[in-house]
Amino acid sequence: MHRAAVPPRFGNKPIAGFLAIILFILVSAWCFDGSGFSIVQLLGSSEYLLRFLHEAFPPIDEHRLTFEQFDRYCLALIETFQMAFAGTLVGLLIGFILALFASRGLMFESRRSNLLQWSVKMLISLFRTVPDLVWAIIFVMVVGLGAFAGTLTIMVDTIGFCGRFFAEEMEDVDRSSAEALSASGARRFDTVFAAVVPAATPGLITTSLFAFEKAIRSSVVLGLVGAGGIGLELQSLMNWMAYDRAMVIIGMIFALVLVVEQLSSYFRKLVMKNE
Amino acid sequence: MAAIVTAEDIAMSYGNTPILKGVSFALEARESLSLIGSNGAGKSTLIRCLLRLEPITAGRISLFGREIQNLKSSELRSTRCRVGVVFQRHNLVPRLSALSNVIHGALGRNTQSFGSMISGITLWSHITAGSVHRERAMDCLDRVNLADLAHRRADSLSGGQSQRVAIARALMQDPDLIIADEPAASLDPIAGEEVMGLFSELCREAGVSLIFSTHNISHAVDFADRMMAMKSGRISLDGRTGSVDLQTLKAEYA
Ligand SMILES: Nc1ncnc2c1ncn2[C@@H]1O[C@H](COP(=O)(O)OP(=O)(O)OP(=O)(O)O)[C@@H](O)[C@H]1O
Ligand SMILES: [Mg+2]
């Protein structure tokens, strides 16, 4: 008996692998050079850091933080949370609908829908690639200063994030059960929702939770351009060099982000356990 | 009697590899046909072609007198919904309950009118399905002795249990033709006999036609009127089950 030869260890193209590693090293060196990365400079500026810390502590002291101020910060923090939550929710919904069409060969036969799929993908990329601060400036211009502009920004951000990952999750689902349903005469639309979406749910939920975490983090900065939330307070304090009270706000933001991240990872584990 | 399935000289290839090389046969109403042949002979591929899940490169296929190659998608759906298919790999929706998976069998019947758009939505899961469908799905599960596992998630079922859920889903379609790819492959001998018995009972009593592939020669002989053997993409034997002897069958696997 003559059997087939053992396949080579490093595939057919070992040279290509080595070249790829060398290329990676060269690119990294080039990028570190261009980014001005310097430990020396970082250590050299420690005096400014110390000044900031000196003026920031102790942050809570009756001469510095009044109860009214603290109250206002709390309201701003709550507003931040509300913006993030509402914006994420609407963004998830729209992102999901767009993802259905951005997902390869999902809603239509692949060859007919190529153009549509490509355009939706581009639209989602546009939402994602324009930075949130830019969206915030645009929305402040359109709907005026305040929380609504921030909410719209979060929404657009979420569409960009979830549109992409929802689409990928639905692409990764094994299509054989959907195929079985279409072999029994089910409409495409029904096979998507009866077979593909249920199989993708854990991924969809996980992505949604990540989107919310991301929204909480970015909603903090939106205030810097007047789009509502606690960022506005932070910015004016920094401008006034009131580092002590700024420190209070940073602490509050830290607490909010931490709580949301903990909750989110708790829910994620719950979803995974039911997997 | 009119033929339910006709295949005329069909050819099919994956890429440049020809898989089916001129397959012709016709299946009469109420007839049951078993399909045997060694691994990779093309049985599953033939079944996929019959449902237009794979495009054929030559020949003609008709189901219930309609040539499926040229059907519009709505016509294709109304043809497909008369065929209950059981795949070799079951193909259940993993995260849904057995009951929901069986209820999905009713989706195909629901494609015709515009109002069906809405009622189709209710069939995505047993939670939203109407009680008529829920009851019928339980009956179908009961016929494969699985009613007590109705609530279990499909991915928690054993191979044989999933196979039977897939069969129940096909029964839910109330099909005129059942096409089953190795329906007894993952079943224990008793359950296998039962499922095959159920199929041939449907043929005798409900007038359903049947095509099934199998590696179990005694199933192929006992539960079909007629058998076909495939060998590297061609039909190498086609005859009444009573008329083929074991010696000839063994030769088919050589
Ligand atoms: N998606 C695919 N792409 C390429 N080749 C395929 C594909 N599916 C099947 N084949 C090839 O087609 C041939 C026929 O496969 P098929 O699954 O029809 O065989 P089968 O008779 O059902 O075998 P088994 O008894 O193992 O189920 C095999 O050689 C297989 O490798
Ligand atoms: Mg097969």
Side-chain angles (χ1 to χ4, degrees), chain A residues 6-125:
Chain A
V6 180
R9 265 178 222 282
F10 298 108
N12 308 324
K13 302 184 184 106
I15 310 282
F18 289 127
L19 284 182
I21 292 171
I22 289 172
L23 190 69
F24 175 75
I25 292 172
L26 287 178
V27 169
S28 315
W30 179 64
C31 290
F32 273 105
D33 184 42
S35 65
F37 197 90
S38 152
I39 305 269
V40 178
Q41 193 186 346
L42 187 64
L43 295 179
S45 12
S46 56
E47 138 191 19
Y48 301 103
L49 183 65
L50 286 178
R51 200 178 78 197
F52 172 77
L53 290 177
H54 179 73
E55 290 181 18
F57 285 101
I60 301 176
D61 179 332
E62 65 249 54
H63 302 300
R64 298 182 170 186
L65 182 73
T66 67
F67 183 72
E68 273 115 70
Q69 283 167 342
F70 186 66
D71 208 33
R72 208 175 65 228
Y73 300 162
C74 284
L75 288 178
L77 192 72
I78 290 173
E79 187 182 69
T80 304
F81 178 84
Q82 289 169 319
M83 274 163 46
F85 197 92
T88 310
L89 218 55
V90 181
L92 285 178
L93 196 72
I94 300 176
F96 176 71
I97 293 170
L98 290 182
L100 290 175
F101 293 96
S103 193
R104 200 168 350 95
L106 187 68
M107 288 301 265
F108 302 103
E109 292 295 334
S110 40
R111 98 193 101 78
R112 237 196 301 164
S113 68
N114 275 348
L115 186 68
L116 175 70
Q117 189 223 330
W118 185 83
S119 348
V120 177
K121 254 198 168 133
M122 283 297 121
L123 181 69
I124 293 173
S125 300

Side-chain angles (χ1 to χ4, degrees), chain B residues 184-222:
Chain B
S186 48
L187 302 182
D188 64 57
I190 306 295
E193 296 273 318
E194 271 174 17
V195 161
M196 293 314 303
L198 173 67
F199 282 153
S200 57
E201 180 191 311
L202 284 170
C203 288
R204 267 182 285 109
E205 281 158 25
V208 175
S209 315
L210 174 68
I211 298 178
F212 68 94
S213 72
T214 181
H215 290 301
N216 184 326
I217 298 292
S218 64
H219 284 179
V221 174
D222 295 346

